[in-house]
Amino acid sequence: MPILYHYPLAPTSRFIRLVLNEYKSDAELRALVPWERHEALLRINPAGELPVLDDAAQGVYCGARVISEWVEETQTAPFLMTGTAEDRAEIRRLIDWFDGKFTKEVGGPLFQERIAKRFLRGQAVSSDVIRTAIANAHIHFGYFDWLLGRHDWLAGDRLTLADLNGAAHLSMLDYFGDVDWQKYPDLKTWYMKMKSRPSFRPLLADRLVGMPPAKDYAELDF
Amino acid sequence: MPILYHYPLAPTSRFIRLVLNEYKSDAELRALVPWERHEALLRINPAGELPVLDDAAQGVYCGARVISEWVEETQTAPFLMTGTAEDRAEIRRLIDWFDGKFTKEVGGPLFQERIAKRFLRGQAVSSDVIRTAIANAHIHFGYFDWLLGRHDWLAGDRLTLADLNGAAHLSMLDYFGDVDWQKYPDLKTWYMKMKSRPSFRPLLADRLVGMPPAKDYAELDF
């Protein structure tokens, strides 16, 4: 049975859980905390980063991008990165947007302040950093809302990996109640659709010990 | 004619120049500085990041990953990401290593201190940051040297996108004389091969105004 090493609230790990769920994978989940050193993880991924998929049959795949492209290339339907080369360029552009720009300006600082610092002794949470990240988030939300006003899904008229990755990133913010959905109606409609997918259900059951989610986190109507 | 918007010393831009050169593209190069706001760039890439390939015929491709995958999917030979799905996973893993871990621990801080700060007023260069980045680099160099002791190219027995990206990242350090090649013989042999490729020649001619390269930067025997 394949094993996915992941951290429940990390967006890149959540993305791969969604991908595997869409493909009805039977991978077993093993949670690791990303700010600790894990010898067993380093043996299979010298970068020491999550997520890692150890597919006992084929090999070990390190990182969300590698895993998602590999799943697309080797699994049969549903196919979440099809279309023309131009379509795939748009899907990859949006995936990179979340993993790069969004993480740098919004998700990364929030992860550090809201999650990692709870576990790293002697580091005070900076409300300034949180405030700046949330201010930055509005520019991103506005852009996503605009894209979703033009077509039903982030990259066009079909569900793709871009939607799974985008929802994974936003779901971490949603856990903490950091998204003002009412301001972005098209983004909200899209996120309701994403949350309603069976692949999303296990993520809605995640609970961080000592840090309960915002009240609407698991609600399909919010 | 396609246009590549790039910054000459930025590794992701250099990677795409190498890719386009390998494919004998006739793209025109337009240099932009990444720390300034460019309205024309924002119109074609709302992320405002480099590199961007504006292929007049087909569309606009944003970011090194998107461009390199698109080139692979649409151009004919040489084919720098072929093989099995496992081979491609290894190529992408190494590309991500350079763009992610290496950039975070080594290339990013060096770019900021050695290049960006020259152009950003009132920010003092931190020799501590440079020292830490170079100390971190040795762990990476050791790993690359080990990989290259096992096979001729980073991802196996053929030249792939991983080699072009790796060489692009290392070439920025090499511009400043930050690589102690004598300590890593297999890495050095590989970099000599990379430097000798016709695709590499234009990069060796790059000169940053007011900041000449280290003496061996353009030498094929160093």
Side-chain angles (χ1 to χ4, degrees), chain A residues 83-104:
Chain A
T84 64
E86 277 65 44
D87 295 336
R88 285 189 293 281
E90 178 64 0
I91 296 167
R92 291 191 180 108
R93 181 183 77 83
L94 290 166
I95 291 175
D96 285 358
W97 185 294
F98 285 101
D99 292 350
K101 193 174 176 67
F102 185 81
T103 297
K104 195 168 97 187

Side-chain angles (χ1 to χ4, degrees), chain B residues 49-134:
Chain B
E49 291 168 356
L50 297 170
V52 174
L53 180 66
D54 185 348
D55 178 294
Q58 318 261 0
V60 174
Y61 305 94
C62 305
R65 177 194 169 199
V66 168
I67 300 170
S68 62
E69 296 266 1
W70 178 78
V71 168
E72 281 301 310
E73 290 186 359
T74 56
Q75 307 303 300
T76 47
F79 299 122
L80 297 167
M81 189 146 69
T82 49
T84 64
E86 277 64 45
D87 295 336
R88 284 189 293 279
E90 177 64 359
I91 296 167
R92 291 192 180 107
R93 181 183 77 84
L94 290 166
I95 291 175
D96 285 358
W97 185 295
F98 284 101
D99 292 350
K101 193 175 175 68
F102 185 80
T103 297
K104 196 168 97 187
E105 298 175 357
V106 183
L110 288 177
F111 185 91
Q112 188 62 21
E113 299 300 322
R114 292 217 191 272
I115 304 175
K117 282 196 176 171
R118 292 229 164 190
F119 299 89
L120 299 167
R121 279 186 221 171
Q123 294 200 24
V125 171
S126 162
S127 54
D128 269 4
V129 170
I130 292 177
R131 214 172 7 247
T132 303
I134 289 176

Side-chain angles (χ1 to χ4, degrees), chain A residues 131-171:
Chain A
R131 214 170 10 245
T132 303
I134 289 176
N136 290 339
H138 284 284
I139 297 166
H140 291 265
F141 296 158
Y143 180 56
F144 307 146
D145 196 55
W146 177 80
L147 285 172
L148 291 162
R150 298 172 69 215
H151 30 63
D152 285 352
W153 303 96
L154 279 173
D157 297 324
R158 284 172 308 109
L159 174 82
T160 69
L161 289 181
D163 298 293
L164 300 187
N165 196 35
H169 280 267
L170 293 190
S171 72

